[in-house]
Amino acid sequence: MKPATLRAWSKVHTWSSLICTLFMLILALTGLPLVFHDEIDGIGKPERIERWNDAELVSLDRAIAAALALEPGAVPIYLSFDEDRPVVNLTSGPVGDAPETAMRFHPIDRRTAAPPQGEAPGGGVMDVVLDLHKDLLLGTVGEYFVGAIGLCFVLALVSGVVLYAPFARKAGFASVRKAKTARTRWLDWHNLIGGVTLAWALVVGLTGTINTLAEPITAWWRADALAHLARDHSGPIASYRPGIADAALRNAQAAVPGMRVQFIAFPGAAFSSRDHLAVYLQGATPLTAKLLTPVMVDARTGKVDGVAPMPWYMKALLLAQPLHFGDYGGMAMKLLWAVLDLVSIVVLGSGLYLWLRKPRTARRGRAA
């Protein structure tokens, strides 16, 4: 590689690293507890296996009515289902297309048509950690900023590989020059650890960036794949009427047999249209459970208007979300993700140390 090219890549690596290092440290530190969010949320809660008889459960619409009674004047936006107990979770708001900040969350036990006993409304400390990790508590602007930081991080990784490749070819991969100065040894360890964790860091950086684009990706999909099923794009949002949720689920599962429901999006929601209930069905395997099949059901008649398979970019988003936190392979994968997260903190810290310990003459030459 020519010296001029090497210097250009060195500048790219230095400045992309400096721009993202502080924020990546925040993301790495907040990401560590999020890997174990299920376990942390379960601290202090008795672990028990719940059993129930499906025939004794109240209907979905009765559960929805119980949740709406807690917030008079609200309308349903999403209905999700717990996997290990007969509890549905209604997300409601003043209107069907309400922003996330105006939404409220109400779990309802279908055995009693009431909120589950012993649960307090509202989120805990992990919700704050998630918001800090997702958007630095800055909302949508912060989410896009985190996405830009993710791209900067990927650029730093790629430029680091370009710079390390000539050294690896000459001295061998993972070589540490023990006879050199402390800064040189730190540089070799920085390159070694960065090279070992490169694949994981790229996966986490890219999936994190994809996750920050969930809103525009969903809007694109809604305008593309769902547009032909909507009858009136500018008309009023169809009103919820009792009985429609049970009918929608029953007809959707009849249209796509052998699948189970993950959630239902009501008219106006980002994952539906203005005149449909979108019933999202999932498979039974760990992989197919992440890839959803939406069935669009007429909000007025309950009849299936069509099945809208997810396009590739929505599949990428749905797969990126759990992969980012290692939610695929149980505790073993979570532990691996945690170790790699800690190692990435060492890489980020060592990179900052190397820049701060750069000889003053080199800095003056670079400034000139």
Side-chain angles (χ1 to χ4, degrees):
M1 186 181 296
K2 295 180 179 180
T5 304
L6 196 62
R7 283 195 298 271
W9 276 108
S10 178
K11 289 182 179 180
V12 169
H13 183 69
T14 297
W15 289 108
S16 60
S17 300
L18 287 175
I19 290 170
C20 74
T21 292
L22 175 61
F23 300 103
M24 286 304 303
L25 281 171
I26 295 174
L27 297 178
L29 290 170
T30 54
L32 186 59
L34 288 172
V35 171
F36 302 101
H37 63 94
D38 290 331
E39 291 74 15
I40 294 174
D41 287 338
I43 293 176
K45 298 179 181 178
E47 185 177 350
R48 62 178 184 269
I49 300 175
E50 299 197 28
R51 295 180 175 84
W52 63 89
N53 184 354
D54 288 343
E56 298 176 355
L57 301 181
V58 302
S59 67
L60 294 182
D61 287 283
R62 184 177 169 189
I64 292 171
L68 293 178
L70 302 173
E71 192 180 354
V75 299
I77 300 176
Y78 295 106
L79 186 70
S80 61
F81 298 74
D82 281 11
E83 295 183 354
D84 55 354
R85 57 181 186 164
V87 172
V88 293
N89 307 287
L90 183 76
T91 301
S92 60
V95 290
D97 56 355
E100 188 176 345
T101 53
M103 295 180 184
R104 298 294 180 267
F105 185 78
H106 302 289
I108 297 294
D109 192 326
R110 292 182 65 192
R111 293 167 294 196
T112 62
Q117 293 184 354
E119 289 197 7
V125 65
M126 292 307 296
D127 289 341
V128 178
V129 175
L130 177 60
D131 288 339
L132 181 60
H133 185 84
K134 184 177 70 173
D135 56 27
L136 301 176
L137 304 180
L138 297 175
T140 303
V141 174
E143 201 165 349
Y144 293 152
F145 177 76
V146 170
I149 291 298
L151 287 177
C152 223
F153 178 60
V154 171
L155 182 58
L157 293 173
V158 173
S159 57
V161 171
V162 173
L163 292 174
Y164 185 56
F167 172 81
R169 282 196 298 266
K170 182 184 297 184
F173 178 74
S175 295
V176 177
R177 293 167 288 183
K178 298 180 180 179
K180 296 291 185 177
T181 63
R183 184 180 180 279
T184 300
R185 292 196 300 271
W186 266 106
L187 174 63
D188 290 344
W189 277 111
H190 175 82
N191 292 334
L192 168 60
I193 299 172
V196 170
T197 60
L198 175 66
W200 175 85
L202 281 172
V203 167
V204 172
L206 289 172
T207 54
T209 301
I210 292 172
N211 289 339
T212 64
L213 300 175
E215 217 172 286
I217 290 175
T218 302
W220 185 13
W221 168 68
R222 186 178 181 183
D224 177 24
L226 300 185
H228 69 282
L229 294 174
R231 286 176 291 277
D232 190 351
H233 302 285
S234 59
I237 297 173
S239 302
Y240 166 74
R241 62 180 182 82
I244 192 62
D246 286 291
L249 178 57
R250 184 171 56 252
N251 294 336
Q253 289 182 316
V256 188
M259 302 187 77
R260 55 192 177 92
V261 62
Q262 189 191 65
F263 73 96
I264 299 174
F266 290 85
F271 283 84
S272 185
S273 72
R274 302 180 75 84
D275 44 26
H276 286 94
L277 279 81
V279 180
Y280 285 79
L281 303 175
Q282 60 181 170
T285 67
L287 180 60
T288 58
K290 307 298 180 185
L291 299 175
L292 306 179
T293 300
V295 181
M296 306 302 290
V297 179
D298 191 302
R300 298 173 179 85
T301 66
K303 295 181 179 179
V304 174
D305 271 353
V307 179
M310 289 286 190
W312 66 267
Y313 51 86
M314 280 300 295
K315 290 180 180 178
L317 174 62
L318 292 172
L319 291 173
Q321 290 172 340
L323 181 59
H324 185 68
F325 292 112
D327 283 349
Y328 276 110
M331 182 54 68
M333 190 169 184
K334 290 185 177 185
L335 290 172
L336 174 63
W337 246 237
V339 170
L340 291 171
D341 187 280
L342 289 171
V343 171
S344 71
I345 293 174
V346 174
V347 174
L348 292 167
S350 62
L352 187 59
Y353 165 81
L354 289 169
W355 184 77
L356 292 174
R357 291 294 301 272
K358 184 181 286 292
R360 292 183 180 180
T361 53
R363 286 193 193 176
R364 283 197 295 268
R366 188 179 296 272

